[in-house]
Amino acid sequence: MLTEALLLTGGLSATAFLLWKRRNRRYTSSESVAAAYDAWTDDRLLERLWGEHVHLGHYGTPPSDRDFRKAKEAFVHELVRWSGLDQLPRGSKVLDVGCGIGGSARILAQDYGFDVLGISISSAQVRRATELTPEALSCRFEVMDALDLQLADQQFDAVWSVEAGPHMPDKQRFADELLRVMRPGGCLAVADWNRRDPSDGALNRNERWVMHQLLTQWAHPEFASIKGFRQNLEVSQHNRGAISTGDWTQPTLPSWIDSIVEGIRRPGAVLGLGPKAVIQGLRETPTLLLMRWAFATGLMQFGVFRLNR
């Protein structure tokens, strides 16, 4: 079984391992997701280390030696091009589902001239996103549940969602809501952490243990597979086109180690928050290493989804 050996091989101390064993953010409801992100936002550690983009970076194909934060910005532009959002005129209305602290939304508004609404289940994220966004930018944020969007049908020219799907207990409803609010002929851009599809092989004992950790440590009810979520989109009553998918596992893979190394590159970012932040960083490191292992071995995949126009 992948237990102490895997974690300590990654360079973790016994103290960090004990901290990891005591932590748990098991999904129980949307409130548990909101509480986790409220805490991550308020302690500022994630922002200090990851910057404004609470998602992975894109390092190119093959991956290059790219700065972690620049890779995160590059990810946004890569997904814009891949999904066809760059073909939309300035002023197009875009919904960012699971907006974090607004990093992607601000790029979409500033670099592409879109009118962006970002939504998050976390009131702390919405507050921080609003604080970081210049008033002149056409970009605003609201607290909202992605499984119950309080928005009219066919309201947006594009719907954007990055790494929000793992927090959704009902993947079909998530797909339905994304497509419901998008106008006919609009653009869909979804990027998510996905598990290996059961048709490609059942999980062995070690993989089941790792999967359990990945679900319970970061408030995930379940991961969809790329095949599975593609089917959710295809069978939705709101679907009006063909769905295309891609696997961006390799170009995003360096993010996991980079997210740990940032603490070494920018020690003041952590130390400036006090001893509690150092302990918190140690608590997160095992899960980051497990994520890296899962994506490197094929247990997990980084899927991207678009609607062909």
Side-chain angles (χ1 to χ4, degrees):
M1 177 180 288
L2 292 172
T3 53
E4 290 94 337
L6 175 62
L7 299 176
L8 296 176
T9 297
L12 298 177
S13 67
T15 300
F17 179 71
L18 290 173
L19 286 168
W20 166 78
K21 289 197 75 173
R22 291 202 300 267
R23 66 187 292 277
N24 189 303
R25 298 190 185 96
R26 184 186 301 275
Y27 175 91
T28 56
S29 66
S30 60
E31 286 76 16
S32 62
V33 178
Y37 277 101
D38 284 349
W40 284 322
T41 303
D42 288 338
D43 68 28
R44 294 292 174 89
L45 179 62
L46 190 59
E47 182 180 340
R48 287 284 190 97
L49 291 179
W50 283 41
E52 297 184 19
H53 301 276
V54 189
H55 59 71
L56 302 189
H58 193 290
Y59 292 77
T61 307
S64 62
D65 186 15
R66 178 178 282 174
D67 177 80
F68 182 48
R69 299 193 184 194
K70 291 186 182 301
K72 288 167 167 288
E73 295 176 8
F75 177 95
V76 177
H77 296 295
E78 289 288 343
L79 188 58
V80 165
R81 287 191 290 270
W82 183 82
S83 62
L85 262 74
D86 58 342
Q87 302 302 308
L88 294 176
R90 298 180 71 84
S92 295
K93 296 179 64 177
V94 177
L95 176 67
D96 181 355
V97 178
C99 63
I101 58 174
S104 298
R106 283 186 287 277
I107 288 180
L108 295 174
Q110 181 170 314
D111 292 7
Y112 298 95
F114 297 148
D115 178 10
V116 184
L117 170 62
I119 66 113
S120 171
I121 196 74
S122 164
S123 59
Q125 283 193 327
V126 167
R127 182 181 66 251
R128 185 58 179 153
T130 302
E131 292 172 352
L132 292 170
T133 303
E135 290 185 9
L137 210 57
S138 183
C139 188
R140 65 194 190 282
F141 304 93
E142 294 183 17
V143 177
M144 203 176 298
D145 187 342
L147 297 183
D148 185 22
L149 295 173
Q150 301 301 298
L151 300 165
D153 292 359
Q154 301 180 16
Q155 186 176 343
F156 294 90
D157 301 299
V159 174
W160 173 282
S161 182
V162 175
E163 299 174 16
H167 295 296
M168 308 300 164
D170 189 333
K171 309 303 184 188
Q172 187 59 58
R173 186 170 178 179
F174 180 49
D176 290 341
E177 284 292 89
L178 295 178
L179 294 172
R180 177 183 65 80
V181 298
M182 189 176 70
R183 68 166 177 80
C187 288
L188 177 71
V190 176
D192 261 332
W193 303 344
N194 299 107
R195 59 162 289 163
R196 184 175 70 232
D197 193 78
S199 67
D200 295 324
L203 305 188
N204 61 34
R205 186 181 180 186
N206 286 341
E207 290 174 331
R208 288 195 300 271
W209 182 83
V210 171
M211 183 63 70
H212 175 73
Q213 303 308 318
L214 301 187
L215 291 173
T216 58
Q217 302 305 322
W218 287 349
H220 299 136
E222 185 57 272
F223 298 111
S225 68
I226 295 177
K227 290 179 183 178
F229 192 63
R230 176 175 181 163
Q231 184 176 32
N232 292 142
L233 292 167
E234 288 176 337
V235 303
S236 173
Q237 61 179 317
H238 303 290
N239 181 29
R240 301 177 184 83
I243 303 297
S244 292
T245 64
D247 185 342
W248 285 11
T249 302
Q250 290 307 309
T252 57
L253 188 61
S255 300
W256 298 108
I257 298 301
D258 261 0
S259 65
I260 299 171
V261 175
E262 278 294 281
I264 301 173
R265 294 185 184 127
R266 296 181 169 90
V270 180
L271 296 176
L273 293 173
K276 184 178 178 180
V278 176
I279 294 173
Q280 181 65 20
L282 291 173
R283 292 176 68 186
E284 301 297 348
T285 299
T287 308
L288 292 168
L289 289 171
L290 286 176
M291 278 288 190
R292 202 277 176 191
W293 182 89
F295 279 91
T297 61
L299 172 60
M300 295 289 292
Q301 299 171 309
F302 194 97
V304 287
F305 307 81
R306 69 185 177 196
L307 184 65
N308 295 333
R309 302 174 68 199

